[in-house]
Amino acid sequence: MTEHKTPDLPLQPAFDRDRLLAWFEGHGLAQTTHHHPAVFRVEEGLELKAAMPGAHTKNLFLKDKKGQLWLISARQDTVIDLKRAPRTIGSDRLSFGNEGLLYETLGLTPGSVTAFGLVNDPEQRVTFVLDKALWDAEVVNFHPLTNTATTAMSQAEFRKFLALLGREPIVVDFERLEG
């Protein structure tokens, strides 16, 4: 009898868009979700975003030289200098994390990177860094675990989301980083 091995497949993340939106509702987090065609880069969604109030985001999934994982969420127009950021956030040299690691830790695929992915990281393997410009925005907009929608949430509700996850972001003013 020949023994068949099941290939190593990544586990399905605990949360997908529908479960995330239900989780928001179950925790009394007010939000508005707009469905739209898939958007993979900030530049692609500018027309869509123009009709949605609030700060829109870009999100970077990174890994440092020592293997520590980082998620940087910033206002879409913020310049993030990855050569200067390590000194500020306390990381080693940063590079982009690979697709497998992104899925394993945050349950996300490229193009769908979002702070809401932290809901899939109960072990808190990923350190969360938030742009001060986003921290100060009245309304923030993130993908709800998929790039075919955008979810708007007030800053107060977003902070409640982070508190429910036990997450305290490292808030960085990327516009004022020193060389």
Side-chain angles (χ1 to χ4, degrees):
M1 181 186 262
T2 306
E3 192 173 317
H4 295 286
K5 281 185 87 177
T6 304
D8 292 329
L9 297 174
L11 295 174
Q12 189 69 18
F15 286 85
D16 60 11
R17 182 189 64 196
D18 293 338
R19 183 149 181 241
L20 176 71
L21 296 177
W23 188 85
F24 287 160
E25 186 176 334
H27 286 86
L29 296 173
Q31 54 79 28
T32 302
T33 297
H34 305 273
H35 301 276
H36 53 69
V39 175
F40 292 91
R41 295 187 336 263
V42 170
E43 303 81 33
E44 291 178 24
L46 294 178
E47 288 180 29
L48 292 169
K49 295 172 188 175
M52 297 178 215
H56 291 272
T57 59
K58 64 178 165 189
N59 299 274
L60 308 176
F61 178 69
L62 305 163
K63 182 178 178 179
D64 73 15
K65 194 174 174 185
K66 294 180 180 175
Q68 172 64 44
L69 303 175
W70 302 85
L71 174 63
I72 297 178
S73 292
R75 199 175 60 199
Q76 71 181 3
D77 58 350
T78 298
V79 175
I80 300 172
D81 185 339
L82 293 182
K83 290 182 179 166
R84 292 173 25 186
R87 184 174 32 243
T88 304
I89 67 175
S91 73
D92 207 316
R93 190 182 67 203
L94 294 164
S95 60
F96 288 93
N98 70 45
E99 186 176 343
L101 201 52
L102 173 62
Y103 189 79
E104 175 188 325
T105 56
L106 298 176
L108 301 171
T109 57
S112 297
V113 180
T114 171
F116 292 147
L118 294 169
V119 75
N120 280 321
D121 183 27
E123 296 168 7
Q124 298 193 11
R125 292 175 55 194
V126 179
T127 301
F128 184 46
V129 178
L130 190 65
D131 177 22
K132 184 176 183 326
L134 206 53
W135 182 251
D136 293 340
E138 286 184 40
V139 174
V140 294
N141 290 277
F142 291 98
H143 288 311
L145 309 182
T146 178
N147 64 354
T148 58
T150 298
T151 296
M153 186 176 274
S154 73
Q155 185 62 241
E157 296 296 282
F158 181 63
R159 291 183 187 189
K160 245 197 292 189
F161 164 76
L162 293 174
L164 286 166
L165 299 180
R167 293 300 194 119
E168 187 70 36
I170 298 170
V171 179
V172 173
D173 189 345
F174 284 101
E175 295 296 321
R176 299 201 187 278
L177 284 189
E178 294 183 19

